Amino acid sequence: MGLIVQKFGGTSVGTGERMRTVADIIQRTLKKKRVIAVVSAMSGTVKAEGTTNLLLQAGELAVQGVDFEPPLATLERAHRAAVGEALTQPALRAEVQTWMDSELAWLRSFLEALQVIRELSPRSQDILMATGERFSAYLLAAVLSDRSVPATFVDLTSVVPEEEREVTPAFFRRLQERLADQCAPKDHEVPVVTGFFGMVPGGLLKAVGRGYTDFTAALISAGLGRKKVDEMQVWKEVDGVYTADPRRVPTARVLPSISPTEASELTYFGSEVLHPFTMERVVAAEVPIRIKNTFNPDGPGTVILPRGKAGEALQRVTAVTAKKGITIFTITSNRMYNAYGFMSRVFERLAEYNVVVDLISTSEVSLSFTVDRREELERAMPRLRELGEVVVTPGRAILAMVGEGMKFAKGTAGRMFTSLGEAQVNIEMISQGASEINISCVIKEEDAEVGLKAVHRAFLEDPPAGK
């Protein structure tokens, strides 16, 4: 019997009723395959009230010496309600509630300690975040047990050995082997695994970011490998990956499959498909990734196929996406003309302040680049002004068209720019990578939706809408 690694996001397990829906999905899968379930912390429709955000908020209040009870009380109410809603057996309900009460008591003690030391280190931050995934994983394991499905709670809080000192590719290779050993199903039980994994050197948010629960499932899948894992599934609140954001482009449709490179590009430029680290681990192990909708489990979803297996998916433009909140910075200097080392000096200054650049465009005397986190760049401005005149242009968006098949099609860029021109959308910067998988341009933020619809109509509607 094959094995499916199923990851359920915070919205999918956000209430007791949704926990029961997730248990239904696992039970249906168990009829054909074994399952490893990986869960995020509970999250509702309001992101600020998600468990992880509430825990981090409580930590910030504690180090400020302020009352941390309000976010903790919100978290406690949500989890008590979920226990009452998800479980039918009174004895099991009481057992889970007692366990959660013990965890909450420990959490309050930890926050009181933070009030004394007035410092929230990366390790302390990790300890807080781990609590959310422990709650959801423990409860989901109980929901399965409530239905007579053998399940075991797997807590990965201590999976990273103390001797680990640096986050490197070798660190993740060692970690995936440990996770595979710890999470493999035993005696027909369903391991219900915390999406949080261990005390990572320097902190999990810095090492991976908020997509760490997807990454946990990826590490488990990669550690077990293609011979054991048939598929990794990421269950979200959408039907899969769309040709464009359906909230902005009503004619957008779900893609049956995409390549890992396309998925990475779409994620970086605003589509939030999957964390690039996630795909890197799973693709290397040649395990397919399927994105499915928790609230529409019968839908086929979108498969991210291993490299070289995408077939017809490579012979077309795949999707168009937009990333808002972009700022253009332009440095103009006559010292750039016919000189070497100018760009290196610019990027040395950016590196000093951890500035991440999206797109770059150059001329003989100017260098323009875009960022989506302006705060770091503001701190670097005095150093940048040492090199030349700096002009800041906020309120921009990056419009990106992605597709592995673009490299085989002549006139793709011209057709894209023509469609934008006909829609009266002005282009301020243009960028195309050497791989020819992405053509990006910078436009005004208020033109983003018009631009998305125009490019989508030109390439991804058959026949084009209105013709």
Side-chain angles (χ1 to χ4, degrees):
M1 182 179 284
L3 173 64
I4 303 289
V5 177
Q6 295 182 324
K7 182 266 176 178
F8 297 95
T11 305
S12 296
V13 295
T15 65
E17 181 182 357
R18 291 178 180 180
M19 284 273 187
R20 294 173 65 84
T21 298
V22 166
D24 289 339
I25 292 168
I26 292 172
Q27 283 186 279
R28 289 174 58 180
T29 308
L30 286 170
K31 293 177 181 178
K32 297 180 179 179
K33 308 278 187 181
R34 293 177 300 162
V35 173
I36 299 173
V38 181
V39 294
S40 298
M42 287 174 54
S43 179
T45 54
V46 181
K47 197 168 186 178
E49 295 182 2
T51 299
T52 301
N53 284 329
L54 290 170
L55 288 166
L56 293 175
Q57 182 185 347
E60 292 290 347
L61 292 173
V63 298
Q64 294 168 19
V66 179
D67 182 17
F68 55 75
E69 274 299 326
L72 215 58
T74 300
L75 181 152
E76 185 173 359
R77 283 195 300 272
H79 284 80
R80 284 186 182 278
V83 170
E85 191 176 23
L87 301 173
T88 61
Q89 298 179 37
L92 186 57
R93 189 182 299 159
E95 177 189 325
V96 173
Q97 193 59 66
T98 299
W99 180 86
M100 284 191 175
D101 288 344
S102 175
E103 288 281 307
L104 285 165
W106 182 91
L107 179 60
R108 285 188 167 90
S109 298
F110 182 74
L111 290 166
E112 288 167 1
L114 290 180
Q115 282 184 319
V116 175
I117 63 175
R118 299 291 179 92
E119 180 185 354
L120 187 61
S121 68
R123 187 175 182 85
S124 295
Q125 198 174 54
D126 278 358
I127 290 170
L128 288 173
M129 292 193 304
T131 307
E133 272 82 13
R134 281 206 301 272
F135 280 179
S136 56
Y138 194 92
L139 177 54
L140 180 57
V143 174
L144 291 169
S145 297
D146 195 37
R147 300 171 172 217
S148 301
V149 176
T152 180
F153 166 59
V154 181
D155 183 3
L156 299 181
T157 304
S158 303
V159 74
V160 177
E162 289 288 339
E163 59 267 22
E164 294 285 0
R165 292 289 181 267
E166 187 179 5
V167 177
T168 63
F171 164 80
F172 288 125
R173 286 194 294 271
R174 292 190 295 272
L175 182 59
Q176 72 184 34
E177 296 301 324
R178 292 179 65 87
L179 292 182
D181 181 65
Q182 192 160 336
C183 300
K186 298 177 178 66
D187 301 324
H188 302 288
E189 288 186 330
V190 176
V192 183
V193 184
T194 60
F196 179 94
F197 60 89
M199 301 299 155
V200 175
L204 189 56
L205 283 183
K206 182 178 179 182
V208 179
R210 290 296 285 263
Y212 61 81
T213 52
D214 286 350
F215 193 46
T216 305
L219 288 169
I220 295 168
S221 301
L224 290 168
R226 185 68 179 94
K227 291 182 179 179
K228 294 182 179 178
V229 178
D230 294 334
E231 189 172 85
M232 170 181 152
Q233 295 178 351
V234 179
W235 290 80
K236 308 174 78 170
E237 62 275 13
V238 293
D239 285 333
V241 181
Y242 283 79
T243 53
D245 186 340
R247 294 167 298 183
R248 300 178 184 177
V249 183
T251 52
R253 64 182 187 279
V254 176
L255 292 159
S257 66
I258 58 174
S259 74
T261 310
E262 290 170 334
S264 295
E265 292 285 339
L266 289 170
T267 295
Y268 190 80
F269 287 102
S271 286
E272 299 183 6
V273 179
L274 282 179
H275 196 293
F277 288 178
T278 298
M279 286 175 287
E280 180 183 7
R281 304 309 317 169
V282 182
V283 169
E286 297 189 343
V287 175
I289 307 171
R290 188 180 297 272
I291 299 172
K292 288 178 68 70
N293 191 342
T294 307
F295 311 109
N296 180 26
D298 293 326
T302 299
V303 181
I304 303 174
L305 294 166
R307 288 188 180 93
K309 299 184 179 180
E312 292 301 314
L314 300 183
Q315 304 304 313
R316 54 180 167 78
V317 170
T318 300
V320 58
T321 185
K323 185 178 185 179
K324 291 187 175 182
I326 298 297
T327 300
I328 301 175
F329 284 76
T330 301
I331 303 175
T332 303
S333 174
N334 288 329
R335 286 175 288 172
M336 184 177 174
Y337 178 74
N338 216 21
Y340 64 87
F342 183 86
M343 289 182 64
S344 69
R345 291 194 292 276
V346 171
F347 285 97
E348 283 170 2
R349 284 160 170 74
L350 295 176
E352 290 174 13
Y353 295 90
N354 300 316
V355 177
V356 178
V357 172
D358 292 323
L359 303 182
I360 304 169
S361 179
T362 65
S363 72
E364 287 291 352
V365 295
S366 68
L367 168 66
S368 297
F369 56 90
T370 65
V371 299
D372 61 357
R373 291 164 56 184
R374 187 172 168 179
E375 297 79 12
E376 290 88 347
L377 194 53
E378 293 288 354
R379 294 196 294 271
M381 288 292 281
R383 295 278 283 143
L384 293 173
R385 288 195 175 103
E386 294 172 2
L387 300 174
E389 180 186 354
V390 180
V391 176
V392 180
T393 310
R396 296 303 186 260
I398 295 175
L399 181 66
M401 188 170 71
V402 174
E404 296 239 24
M406 291 196 301
K407 68 183 73 173
F408 307 115
K410 295 179 181 179
T412 304
R415 188 176 168 194
M416 176 184 181
F417 301 146
T418 297
S419 68
L420 290 172
E422 291 174 350
Q424 303 299 306
V425 175
N426 185 48
I427 299 171
E428 300 183 18
M429 283 178 61
I430 297 171
S431 176
Q432 181 173 13
S435 66
E436 300 183 60
I437 189 176
N438 181 340
I439 302 175
S440 301
C441 60
V442 179
I443 60 178
K444 290 181 179 179
E445 194 168 61
E446 60 263 32
D447 291 336
E449 289 192 18
V450 174
L452 275 172
K453 290 176 181 176
V455 176
H456 191 273
R457 184 165 55 246
F459 288 93
L460 294 161
E461 296 177 18
D462 186 24
K467 294 187 180 181

